Amino acid sequence: MSGHRVQVHPSIDGIGREWDVLMARARAPVFYRRPFLRAFERHPLHAVQRVAYILVTDARGRPLAGLPAYLHQGVDPMRVIADHFTHARGRPVLLSHVWHCYDTVLPVRPGEERAARTGLAALREVAQEWGAALYGMANVDAAGPLDRLLARQGLHGVDIDVGWGLSLPRFTGYDDYLASLRGKPRRNLAHDLRLAARDGVRFRRLPAADADLDGFVRLARATAAKHGNSDYYRPGLFQDFVRALGDDVEVLELRLGDRLVCSGLALLDDTRYHFWACGFAPMNGYSAFYAVFDHIMRGAFASGRPWVELGRRNPVFKRRYGLTPRTLTARFAETR
C-alpha cells in the first residue's frame, strides 16, 4: 500500500474532476456520482452530523479509490444497529453510504484493488478522530468481492435485507422478458394494464423540473405508511433533493384525468436503471403499481443499460416477476 495518499474532504465540491473520473472508471452506481452526493449535502434526507469524502490517490495524484462517509447518531430506519449492534445504540456511527442507498460499493479504479484497503483504513481513522463507536458499510452485496474484503479486514457482518434486480442482456427485449414469465403473472399484468387503459389512465415520463413532486411525496408517504416509514419522504426536503439530481433522475407519472394516481422515480447511471421509489393510490379493481412497473421495464430495456435495479422490499411481487434476489449485509467494526 506504499505510495498511496489519502485526502479527506468535507464537501464533494472540494474535490475536482478526479472524483468524477474515478466514479466513471469504477462504474459506480448513481449514489456515488456528484449530483446525488451534492443533493444529499444540500438537502439531507436524514440527519447527519458530519460528512467526509475519502479519496485515495497515487503519488502523482491519480485517483484510485473513493468513498463517502457520514457520521450518524440515532438514525437507524432499518434497525440495523438497534437489532444487531445493540452496544452502539444511540451512539455515533460512521457509515458508508446513507440509508437511502441500497447499492453500497467501494469504488476502485480497475486493477487497483489494494487502494480499497487504504480507503478502509482511512475510514477507520476518520471514525476514531470523530469519536464514532462503529464504522462500516450497509447494503453490501453478500456475494460480492466487497463483502469478502470487509470480512478480511475484520468487519463483522449480518444479513439485513434483500435487493432485487434483473440482467437485461439475457432477453432480446421487453416482449421476450414477458414471455419468460409464468402464465399467471403475465395474465395479471395484462389484466391491470387493460383496466388502466379502459379507465383512460395516461402515462408521462418527464424530468424532475417538470414533474408533480408534491404529488409524488403525497403518494409515497401514504404507501410507506403501510410499513411505518412515511418520513423516508419528508415533505419539502424530498422534493428539493430530487430536483437537485438533475439529469440523473426521471419521473414516471400515471394520471386519471387530472388526478395523479401513481408516481415513480428512476435513477440513472452508466450501467443501471434504478426504480428507486414509488407511491400509488388504490384503484377500482386493479393496481396502478402494475401499470408503472410495465413502463419501468420498458424504459429500462429502451435505455440500453444492462441491469434494472428494483431495490428492497416487496419480495412476493419481485419473485413473481422473475427478478433476481441478492442478500444485503451490514458490516461494522468497533472503533479502537
Side-chain angles (χ1 to χ4, degrees), residues 107-171:
V108 179
R109 182 185 287 263
E112 298 286 351
E113 284 71 19
R114 287 192 308 130
R117 294 196 293 273
T118 302
L120 289 175
L123 184 68
R124 182 181 65 246
E125 291 172 5
V126 171
Q128 291 171 338
E129 180 183 342
W130 288 359
L134 296 175
Y135 72 95
M137 298 184 171
N139 295 312
V140 175
D141 184 349
L146 177 57
D147 189 72
R148 295 191 291 273
L149 172 62
L150 294 173
R152 290 195 300 270
Q153 297 301 112
L155 281 77
H156 173 65
V158 294
D159 296 344
I160 60 171
D161 214 325
V162 176
W164 298 84
L166 188 66
S167 174
L168 301 184
R170 57 188 274 209
F171 304 102

Side-chain angles (χ1 to χ4, degrees), residues 30 33-36 242 244-250 266-269:
V30 64
R33 305 302 176 103
R34 188 179 299 268
F36 188 97
V242 173
L245 293 175
D247 293 339
D248 284 1
V249 64
E250 62 183 21
L267 301 182
L268 312 172
D269 59 42

Side-chain angles (χ1 to χ4, degrees), residues 81-96:
I81 297 164
D83 292 344
H84 302 289
F85 301 90
T86 56
H87 62 285
R89 187 183 301 159
R91 299 171 64 191
V93 298
L94 189 66
L95 178 68
S96 182

Side-chain angles (χ1 to χ4, degrees), residues 190-202 256 283 286 291:
H191 171 269
D192 283 21
L193 290 173
R194 184 168 59 252
L195 293 186
R198 176 205 65 189
D199 285 354
V201 172
R202 296 175 292 106
L256 180 57
M283 305 297 286
Y286 62 96

Side-chain angles (χ1 to χ4, degrees), residues 3 11 19 30 42 68 70 79 111 114 144 182 260 262 276 316 327:
S11 171
W19 181 274
V30 64
R42 296 178 178 177
Y70 301 84
R79 293 190 57 82
R114 287 192 308 130
R182 297 195 312 270
L260 185 69
C262 186
W276 186 47
V316 174
T327 300

